[in-house]
Amino acid sequence: MRPALLLKGFEVELFTGKPSGENVGVASEVARQLPGFVTEPDRRNLEYITEPEASYDRLEEALLRPRRTLRQWLAPLGLTLLPGSTLSLGDSDRFERSDPTNPYHSLIESTYGTRVVTASVHINLGLTDPELLFAAVRLIRCEAALLLALSASSPFIGGQLSGQHSQRWRQFPLTPEHVPLFINHRHYIDWVEEQLATGAMRNERHLWTSVRPNGPDRPHSLNRLELRICDLVTDPADLIAITVFLELRVMALIEQQSRLDPLCSSELSLDDLAALADQNDAAASRISLEASLNHWQDGRSIRCRDWIMQLLESMEPTAERFGLLERLQPIRTLLKHGNQAMRWLDVHAQGHSISALLSDGAIAMEQQELVIHGESAALG
């Protein structure tokens, strides 16, 4: 019998727009008419959340079903779903409110402006043991740059090259500016309460960092790790592979906590580890897989692509044991051919317009949904 997999779920933010790539906002109308969709402060993007699933087959269908529903709603309007994690062709200076009467949206617009108008996918893993949860948050915080590098898909902003592979992570306002590696649950509770008291956080959700503990009553009741750093990954096979990579890394930590928890096995202080993680994230946002990073064990320099390959090779025996080896293989393809941002930049350098790239990407999204839907129907 295979060991039990963790519960997993996605929070998916999407841009809507014309097939030619221009953003068009309809989030308020979608949220009113389609159950399961919610607005973001800007009406050009919206969000849906999948129910927790342990099975990757069911998780994949849960990921794509809302996309198909939304696509059917958009079609009569001549609109579609757009790839990418920034306003690639939209007006990146103008905020378009989804709910002009919402005071929290007013706060977001006045404080951050269009820096928050991005699309991404948050990956949640169920972990109910507080000790394991915070060990996992520490490890994944120190390796989050690897997952950003695999997912980077925002090299454009406002019709121009952004100069980044992940413009989204470059521009998104990390809040509070400095977040420690939490020693335990008590440390996290005390720190959050301090941030709320000083106004550095406006509410319990106002912790915008690469990875955070999450649950039904933050900061007290927690049941999952939430990875927030990934750009929008539109190819379901790639997103599932990244999720498998994340889950297997957490599984390795559960089996070898003393070796893989940075609190136990790093030569660096917790303050130095937090700074190292943030610096790695910034480096990955610039050139993703080609970035030079620093390893959390001892601070040594290592190329992002090489670090991912080392971890991939170490986890493949476990992937085989869980029946996930095939699911993991798209990581090798990403390492060989590049992430979405890198592939787009290569084609753009050959003379293809941003509009053409987004248009092709929108068509590819629809084709992926149809293929998976056909396979699911055939399987019954």
Side-chain angles (χ1 to χ4, degrees), residues 255-304:
E255 294 177 355
Q256 307 174 63
Q257 184 172 343
S258 62
R259 187 175 73 84
L260 293 180
D261 182 352
L263 180 64
C264 305
S265 57
S266 175
E267 298 177 9
L268 308 178
S269 70
L270 289 182
D271 288 344
D272 287 342
L273 283 170
L276 177 148
D278 292 347
Q279 290 163 8
N280 282 348
D281 294 348
S285 75
R286 289 192 292 274
I287 52 174
S288 62
L289 295 173
E290 298 303 324
S292 177
L293 307 179
N294 294 102
H295 201 291
W296 57 264
Q297 290 176 329
D298 53 12
R300 69 184 182 276
S301 178
I302 181 170
R303 192 169 69 139
C304 181

Side-chain angles (χ1 to χ4, degrees), residues 102 168 250 316:
N102 188 317
R168 167 188 161 268
V250 172
E316 283 183 338

